[in-house]
């Protein structure tokens, strides 16, 4: 089979890239091991999506089809330090509709899947897995052999196959992984008190706790905490777990009732110095993984997809879409934001770890200062929203 672009992986990054290439004359292939499924009840994977990415998802016609009764805008966010520091962010003060939108991962993945399945320029290869990647000697195409023996020649292979990317390994692109020694413990709750569309985050001695608002007094939690403590939390009976989470968040939303069983995900920083190689480009978690404290993982992935799609859609008809010069333009365009976000989240995680009282006083004083400077707060919000 001959294609222009073969995307490996129909997660949120790969799915959004395929949809963003819908109107293009390029022949696209989507290779996926298993189709996405909608989680039963409330999905444990809940993401904060930035306004810039809501615009992107609207442009590719996915956002308007999501069930609005299951998304929640974030109008304000309160961040607490471990020694009295506090910073408050408000969408209103920053001149925005929302700081972010909270949504479940699986309905969006299914929506993207249903959209890309109907694209006339797309061939679906699912269920399927790649077993070999060869870049031709004259490098005018890459050949991907599937585990059932089929062979696909594509001018460009896009790795959207997640943090343990098969394509990245097959293309011999090196990766630096720094485990945090922490798990992200996630769970959804029904709350006794209303959240008023506010998100909360606490930098605590035992990790970083985030509460994200979900519709009708529900909320989603991510508690990034050292492995031993995470295992302790995961082994608690539901009632004791709810009490522990409520107390860790100063009982701000009253009593909590568990909606989804808690789950733990190992956290790591993953840096990929080169995200392109001849005939290969990496997007999403295949290209970078960051600590979830800023809620930016998939936001970076959506921007990878947007930038790569804009470049491919803008190429003249005669131009080879897998040319290394085009791929390098993509890599350059993404380099700064990815490095900055990785650097900032890594530094914040390190800054709040040590128990040293002097450092604790300094970092909490820094938060108070930030809170007293509306211009700085507004700039931070607009940057996080993807607007500057
Ligand atoms: C605890 C936690 C909380 C998080 N919270 C947030 C948040 O609030 N906001 C946010 O933006 N991000 C968050 N993230 C990060 C987010 O989960 C990831 O950035 C996102 O899922 C990556 O999407 P992706 O499409 O790149 O990869 P994936 O979601 O991993 O998708 C990869 C796809 O490729 C397919 N695939 C893999 N290998 C193969 C193969 N060999 N052959 C065929 N198909 C294959 C898989 O089936 C899958 O469909 C969080 C992460 C964690 C761990």
């Amino acid at each position: 089979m001959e294609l222009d672009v073969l995307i490996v992986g129909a997660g949120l990054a790969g799915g959004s890239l395929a949809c963003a290439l819908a109107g293009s004359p390029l022949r696209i292939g989507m290779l996926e091991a298993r189709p996405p499924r909608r989680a039963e009840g409330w999905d444990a994977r809940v993401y904060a999506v930035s306004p810039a990415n809501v615009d992107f998802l609207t442009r590719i016609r996915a956002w308007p089809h999501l069930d609005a009764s299951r998304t929640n805008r974030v109008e304000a966010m309160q961040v607490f330090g471990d020694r009295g520091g506090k910073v408050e962010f408000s969408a209103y003060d920053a001149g925005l509709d929302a700081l972010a939108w909270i949504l479940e991962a699986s309905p969006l993945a299914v929506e993207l899947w249903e959209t890309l399945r109907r694209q006339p320029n797309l061939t679906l290869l699912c269920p399927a897995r790649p077993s070999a990647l060869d870049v031709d000697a004259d490098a005018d195409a890459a050949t991907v052999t599937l585990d059932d023996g089929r062979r696909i020649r594509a001018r460009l292979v896009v790795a959207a196959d997640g943090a343990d990317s098969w394509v990245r390994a097959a293309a011999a692109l090196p990766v630096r992984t720094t485990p945090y020694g922490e798990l992200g413990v996630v769970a959804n709750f029904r709350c006794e008190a209303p959240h008023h569309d506010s998100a909360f985050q606490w930098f605590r001695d035992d990790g970083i706790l985030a509460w994200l608002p979900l519709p009708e007094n529900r909320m989603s939690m991510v508690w990034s905490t050292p492995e031993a403590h995470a295992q302790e939390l995961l082994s608690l009976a539901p009632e004791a777990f709810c009490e522990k989470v409520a107390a860790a968040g100063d009982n701000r939303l009253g009593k909590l009732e568990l909606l989804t069983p808690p789950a733990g995900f190992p956290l790591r920083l993953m840096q990929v110095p080169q995200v392109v190689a001849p005939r290969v480009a990496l997007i999403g978690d295949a290209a970078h993984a960051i600590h979830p404290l800023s809620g930016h993982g998939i936001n970076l992935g959506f921007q990878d997809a947007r930038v790569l799609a804009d470049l491919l859609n803008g190429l003249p008809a005669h131009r080879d879409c897998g040319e290394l010069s085009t791929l390098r333009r993509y890599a350059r365009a993404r380099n700064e934001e990815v490095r900055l976000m990785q650097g900032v989240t890594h530094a914040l995680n390190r800054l709040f770890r040590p128990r040293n009282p002097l450092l604790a006083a300094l970092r909490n004083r820094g938060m108070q200062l930030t809170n007293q400077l509306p211009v700085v707060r507004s700039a931070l919000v607009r940057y996080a929203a993807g607007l500057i």
Side-chain angles (χ1 to χ4, degrees):
M1 186 185 296
E2 295 273 339
L3 293 171
D4 294 306
V5 183
L6 176 65
I7 303 169
V8 182
L12 299 186
S16 61
L17 173 65
C19 293
L21 294 172
S24 107
L26 296 170
R27 295 160 303 167
I28 315 290
M30 170 56 85
L31 171 55
E32 169 57 54
R34 56 188 167 274
R37 276 191 314 121
R38 193 177 291 264
E40 284 186 18
W42 283 83
D43 193 346
R45 282 268 171 150
V46 168
Y47 296 155
V49 176
S50 70
N53 283 322
V54 171
D55 287 351
F56 171 56
L57 292 170
T58 304
R59 207 176 85 191
I60 64 173
R61 300 197 189 93
W63 187 260
H65 294 149
L66 293 179
D67 179 352
S69 71
R70 293 183 75 114
T71 61
N72 204 108
R73 80 172 63 217
V74 181
E75 288 188 359
M77 178 163 187
Q78 298 181 31
V79 183
F80 303 92
D82 52 349
R83 301 289 182 276
K86 184 177 175 190
V87 191
E88 290 186 82
F89 299 103
S90 138
Y92 180 81
D93 290 349
L96 298 173
D97 272 356
L99 295 176
W101 288 84
I102 309 301
L103 55 97
E104 299 159 281
S106 71
L108 178 55
V110 170
E111 180 54 45
L112 293 170
W113 180 256
E114 290 306 323
T115 307
L116 67 89
R117 267 158 58 96
R118 291 194 294 267
Q119 273 174 223
N121 66 340
L122 187 138
T123 306
L124 204 55
L125 301 149
C126 178
R129 282 180 178 277
S131 62
L133 169 74
D134 297 293
V135 177
D136 298 358
D138 62 357
D140 74 345
T143 303
V144 174
T145 308
L146 305 191
D147 54 3
D148 60 10
R150 276 180 292 173
R151 286 162 67 83
I152 295 150
R153 262 173 63 84
R155 292 193 172 276
L156 171 61
V157 176
V158 178
D161 50 350
D164 299 315
S165 171
W166 180 92
V167 176
R168 187 184 63 224
L173 286 168
V175 53
R176 271 200 307 270
T177 304
T178 314
Y180 282 110
E182 294 176 355
L183 298 188
V185 177
V186 297
N188 298 329
F189 301 86
R190 188 184 298 285
C191 317
E192 186 185 26
H195 49 58
H196 299 299
D197 301 325
S198 269
F200 303 91
Q201 190 168 43
W202 291 267
F203 286 83
R204 296 168 47 87
D205 282 346
D206 56 11
I208 301 166
L209 172 67
W211 288 3
L212 306 174
L214 285 174
E216 295 174 2
N217 282 3
R218 298 183 184 91
M219 70 91 169
S220 174
M221 173 197 85
V222 184
W223 195 342
S224 315
T225 187
E227 271 163 18
H229 183 238
Q231 295 302 350
E232 243 174 71
L233 290 173
L234 291 167
S235 66
L236 290 173
E239 208 166 302
F241 180 73
C242 288
E243 279 171 14
K244 190 100 180 169
V245 173
D250 301 331
N251 295 303
R252 276 190 179 253
L253 299 178
K255 269 187 85 162
L256 302 178
E257 183 195 328
L258 205 51
L259 290 174
T260 51
F265 298 91
L267 303 181
R268 56 189 160 169
L269 170 69
M270 215 192 61
Q271 293 162 300
V272 183
Q274 291 170 52
V275 296
V276 299
R279 303 285 155 196
V280 174
L282 314 186
I283 67 168
D285 275 20
H288 39 69
I290 65 172
H291 196 283
L293 75 89
S294 67
H296 251 76
I298 197 52
N299 285 296
L300 292 178
F302 284 139
Q303 286 302 304
D304 295 345
R306 183 191 64 77
V307 168
L308 186 56
D310 285 352
L311 273 171
L312 297 177
N313 284 328
L315 288 176
H318 62 274
R319 198 65 188 269
D320 171 358
C321 64
E323 247 177 30
L324 197 53
S325 60
T326 304
L327 304 185
R328 287 200 176 122
R329 276 172 67 200
Y330 158 71
R332 276 197 301 276
R334 295 302 298 136
N335 186 37
E336 188 182 320
E337 189 192 11
V338 171
R339 278 180 189 234
L340 186 68
M341 210 37 95
Q342 286 186 320
V344 168
T345 52
H346 191 66
L348 273 175
N349 179 267
R350 295 286 142 142
L351 178 66
F352 276 89
R353 264 188 187 183
R355 304 250 169 114
N356 179 328
L358 186 63
L359 199 54
L362 269 176
R363 63 198 176 209
N364 283 273
R365 179 75 191 120
M367 290 178 85
Q368 297 293 29
L369 269 177
T370 307
N371 207 38
Q372 286 156 16
L373 298 169
V375 178
V376 175
R377 271 187 295 140
S378 172
L380 284 172
V381 167
R382 296 185 74 79
Y383 186 81
L387 300 175
I388 49 176

